[in-house]
């Protein structure tokens, strides 16, 4: 199963994958001095994908190239409902890159790469 497609690029299977759906509240939301919550939700179900891969240098270059634009279309598996969410515009948040092994130089290097995709 392809969990993530970024534009026309199908990402390799991630080693770690989770999806969060969050609510966004207005700046007027918060607790009063008596401790009661006053909440004004302005948008619900905003998706965030946390994914990590173990990839070769070539796969890493292809993956980072696919997420280099300020925003991009993402098709991904949403595990709580069992369907693919189509054409959600997202951007890449923090990226973490770790060199795992480098036996014979760049061609055989293995990388751990993680990134957050956040819905616009």
């Amino acid at each position: 199963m392809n969990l993530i497609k970024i534009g026309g690029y199908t990402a390799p299977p991630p080693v770690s994958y989770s999806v969060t759906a969050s609510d966004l509240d207005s700046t007027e939301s918060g607790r009063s001095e008596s401790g009661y919550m006053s909440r004004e939700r302005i948008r619900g179900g905003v998706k965030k994908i946390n994914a990590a891969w173990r990839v070769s240098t070539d796969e890493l270059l292809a993956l980072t190239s696919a997420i280099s634009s300020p925003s991009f279309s993402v098709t991904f598996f949403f595990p709580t409902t069992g369907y693919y969410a189509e054409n959600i515009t997202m951007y890449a948040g923090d990226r973490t890159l770790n060199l795992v092994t480098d036996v014979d130089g760049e061609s055989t290097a293995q990388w751990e790469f993680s990134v957050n995709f956040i819905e616009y």
Side-chain angles (χ1 to χ4, degrees):
M1 173 190 297
N2 297 321
L3 292 176
I4 302 174
K5 296 178 186 176
I6 304 159
Y9 171 73
T10 300
V15 295
S16 172
Y17 176 85
S18 66
V19 179
T20 303
S22 300
D23 292 339
L24 299 179
D25 295 337
S26 75
T27 57
E28 301 299 316
S29 296
R31 295 209 177 265
S32 67
E33 289 182 19
S34 58
Y36 290 97
M37 183 67 180
S38 173
R39 184 175 187 213
E40 183 181 338
R41 186 175 82 165
I42 56 174
R43 187 173 169 197
V46 177
K47 307 295 186 301
K48 179 180 179 182
I49 302 169
N50 298 304
W53 291 267
R54 190 168 200 172
V55 292
S56 68
T57 300
D58 290 341
E59 291 170 320
L60 176 65
L61 293 172
L63 184 54
T64 55
S65 177
I67 65 171
S68 64
S69 296
S71 66
F72 38 83
S73 175
V74 178
T75 303
F76 62 97
F77 183 72
F78 190 42
T80 60
T81 58
Y83 70 90
Y84 282 91
E86 296 288 335
N87 299 321
I88 292 179
T89 302
M90 303 185 105
Y91 65 93
D94 293 338
R95 301 158 182 90
T96 303
L97 181 62
N98 295 308
L99 178 63
V100 177
T101 181
D102 184 16
V103 177
D104 292 324
E106 187 175 310
S107 64
T108 60
Q110 289 288 303
W111 300 89
E112 287 179 351
F113 176 69
S114 62
V115 64
N116 299 319
F117 299 121
I118 305 161
E119 185 176 3
Y120 251 77

